[in-house]
Amino acid sequence: MRLSDATLHRLPAGIARPRYDRAAVTPGIVHLGLGAFHRAHQAVMTEAVLNAGARDWGIVAASLRSPDTRDALAPQDGLYTVATREDDSESLQVIGALRGLHVAPENPGALLDAMCDPRTRIVSLTVTEKGYCHDPATGTLDEAHPDIRHDLSAQGAPRSAPGFLVEALHRRRTAGTPSFTVLCCDNLPANGATVRRVAIRLAELRNRDLGAWIAGEVAFPCTMVDRIVPATTEEDRVRIAAMLGLEDAWPVVGERFAQWVIEDRFPTGRPDWTLGGATFAADVAPFEHMKLRMLNGAHSALAYLGYLAGHETVAEAANDPVFARYLGDLWAEIAPCVPAPPGVVLQGYAASLLARFRNRALRHRTWQIAMDGSQKLPQRLLGTARERLAQGRPIPHIALAIAAWIRFVGGVDEAGRPIEVRDPLAAPLRSALDAAGPDPARRVAAALRFPAIFGEDLPRDAGFAAAVTQALRRLMDSGARAAVDGAARPG
Ligand code: CS2
């Protein structure tokens, strides 16, 4: 029997479920990007608001690509389970906040109608870094991106997230409906400002006035989002169904820790997400900076080095003493480039990250985090490298992570087996590296020739190329685990 409104009453007593009348909830938020992260983060915090009695903040969620999540959740009336796992404890909550499900490519018009509904006051997004069709090194719209070119020629049926935002804003403007607030929940630097820049540019390419109207009328608050939510596995699905006594086709699994820091700029209202544990701040930048550089930077480092060393999950890598020591040194390298947010001690933050990474109840695959490195490295590792080099400081641990990425996107692991590289730049990176041949200096030079990743400055910085080349040579000569071990004792 399947989880649904009709079967909710069958859940065992210990399992949390909606404490409100779902039928009475009206849509207030349209969310683009129906992935596990949204369902374990913003939707859970919104559920707390609905549980506290608010009725006008239901979520209408859309997937911009595949119908899979809609197909799994529609027969469940949008209900799904969030499993919170910490070592040997697990608790379940069934979430009712999703009140509508769309698949954009099937029916872009229906999604645009939802975005134009005057009751929709917020459009939030988790479409991953590459979903913004921007140049990661500069944060500007990639005007040559095929989806952007498509969206400029087929405005009524967009494909990209910026295309949907701009078309919906255009329609609201024409109809005299006040704008919604755009709430980016992806791990981009200054995420609100970045999406604003991208949306305004796309609008200007259509019509200058629309660009100016968006610049003047639409709020794009910045956010820092944090919760570790690995892809759900079949094993999770089976275990959770047994605990529910009902089938849930697509539950999500995450750690207990969750943080959401939101810039409080919502001219047409917002839910009181503090009820779910969020905080509102005048300036999100220090939180975002710390999280992107320390958590995500270390995550990417562990992803490439861990994968190459044969660690399948983050927990395996972080529980390996050689890797734990490397992480400590990496954080010590990053921390001087991270101004501590009010009330935070960076050493304590690093210690809490290590504990979170070591959570063995989560099977967060290094391969999963390794995806889309070309879109992630700039904000996670390269900004810190730039700042340290400008201060004349060495970057051995960051350089090792970047070298591991180069090794990874080369597509062959240490045992000569192929690596499945998922990245929008996978093919050009692979051919550049193949053409460069085996010499580490040539391979590094070939990788640095991607300005969308490294900008114009890093390739010209001899110290940067030298550090990455030295690290890559070490990786190629002695393998990832020995290189990680060696990085802890340079020389
Ligand atoms: C991860 C993030 O997949 C990745 O790139 O680094 O999804 C990470 O788990 C979250 O940002 C944690 O908040």
Side-chain angles (χ1 to χ4, degrees), residues 37 41 129 187 225-230 255 291-292 295-297 299-300 356 364 368-371 376 380:
F37 185 72
H41 189 272
E129 294 85 348
N187 289 313
V225 290
D226 191 6
R227 185 173 189 186
I228 294 177
V229 184
E255 61 179 341
K291 193 262 172 173
L292 282 179
L295 188 157
N296 296 110
H299 240 184
S300 287
R356 291 170 63 194
H364 203 183
Q368 186 190 346
I369 299 166
M371 256 187 266
K376 294 174 175 172
R380 295 183 177 204

Side-chain angles (χ1 to χ4, degrees), residues 282-362:
D283 184 11
V284 172
F287 294 96
E288 168 229 291
H289 218 71
M290 172 178 78
K291 193 262 172 173
L292 282 179
R293 290 187 169 192
M294 293 189 61
L295 188 157
N296 296 110
H299 240 184
S300 287
L302 274 193
Y304 301 112
L305 289 163
Y307 181 95
L308 293 171
H311 287 311
E312 201 191 334
T313 65
V314 170
E316 260 174 44
N319 283 294
D320 174 342
V322 162
F323 272 80
R325 203 171 51 227
Y326 166 80
L327 279 175
D329 293 343
L330 178 68
W331 283 318
E333 203 166 293
I334 297 170
C337 301
V338 173
V344 179
V345 177
L346 292 179
Q347 264 179 349
Y349 184 71
S352 70
L353 292 180
L354 182 62
R356 291 170 63 194
F357 289 1
R358 286 182 154 171
N359 179 0
R360 288 190 188 272
L362 297 182

Side-chain angles (χ1 to χ4, degrees), residues 8-31:
L8 262 182
H9 69 279
R10 293 174 176 267
L11 288 174
I15 295 176
R17 69 207 70 184
R19 293 197 301 266
Y20 53 92
D21 174 10
R22 293 188 78 215
V25 170
T26 54
I29 301 169
V30 169
H31 183 78

Side-chain angles (χ1 to χ4, degrees), residues 1-13 15-18 75-77 79-81 92 94 236-251:
M1 194 175 288
R2 193 81 173 258
L3 175 67
S4 71
D5 281 330
T7 59
L8 262 182
H9 69 279
R10 293 174 176 267
L11 288 174
I15 295 176
R17 69 207 70 184
Q76 303 179 180
D77 304 314
L79 293 167
Y80 65 92
T81 314
L92 304 187
V94 172
D236 293 324
R237 223 181 47 72
V238 170
R239 188 188 63 252
I240 290 165
M243 292 166 79
L244 294 174
L246 294 169
E247 289 296 325
D248 177 349
W250 209 333

Side-chain angles (χ1 to χ4, degrees), residues 19 61 65 87 98 121 162 200 207 232 243 271 304 325 341 381 422 458:
R19 293 197 301 266
R65 299 188 186 282
D87 294 317
L98 299 188
R121 281 151 292 150
I200 291 175
N207 166 340
T232 306
M243 292 166 79
Y304 301 112
R325 203 171 51 227
L381 292 165
R422 295 240 185 113
L458 282 176

Side-chain angles (χ1 to χ4, degrees), residues 206-275:
R206 291 175 53 158
N207 166 340
R208 285 206 79 74
D209 287 354
L210 181 60
W213 183 82
I214 293 178
E217 294 295 319
V218 185
F220 291 82
C222 285
T223 64
M224 180 271 246
V225 290
D226 191 6
R227 185 173 189 186
I228 294 177
V229 184
T232 306
T233 64
E234 180 58 16
E235 195 190 320
D236 293 324
R237 223 181 47 72
V238 170
R239 188 188 63 252
I240 290 165
M243 292 166 79
L244 294 174
L246 294 169
E247 289 296 325
D248 177 349
W250 209 333
V252 291
V253 177
E255 61 179 341
R256 187 172 306 128
F257 182 93
Q259 194 177 13
W260 194 9
V261 185
I262 311 165
E263 190 187 348
D264 203 358
R265 275 198 299 125
F266 294 80
T268 48
R270 57 152 174 89
D272 181 6
W273 278 308
T274 60
L275 294 164

Side-chain angles (χ1 to χ4, degrees), residues 375-446:
Q375 315 293 302
K376 294 174 175 172
L377 289 194
Q379 58 274 22
R380 295 183 177 204
L381 292 165
L382 301 180
T384 314
R386 258 186 199 98
E387 281 174 30
R388 283 190 64 95
L389 290 167
Q391 297 159 359
R393 292 170 149 161
I395 54 162
H397 300 86
I398 296 171
L400 185 59
I402 296 165
W405 169 76
I406 295 176
R407 176 110 213 215
F408 184 90
V409 295
V412 181
D413 76 8
E414 291 179 1
R417 287 175 305 232
I419 301 174
E420 191 192 339
V421 179
R422 295 240 185 113
D423 191 300
L425 295 181
L429 279 165
R430 177 69 189 263
S431 29
L433 289 168
D434 284 350
D439 175 54
R442 287 178 55 97
R443 291 182 83 72
V444 170

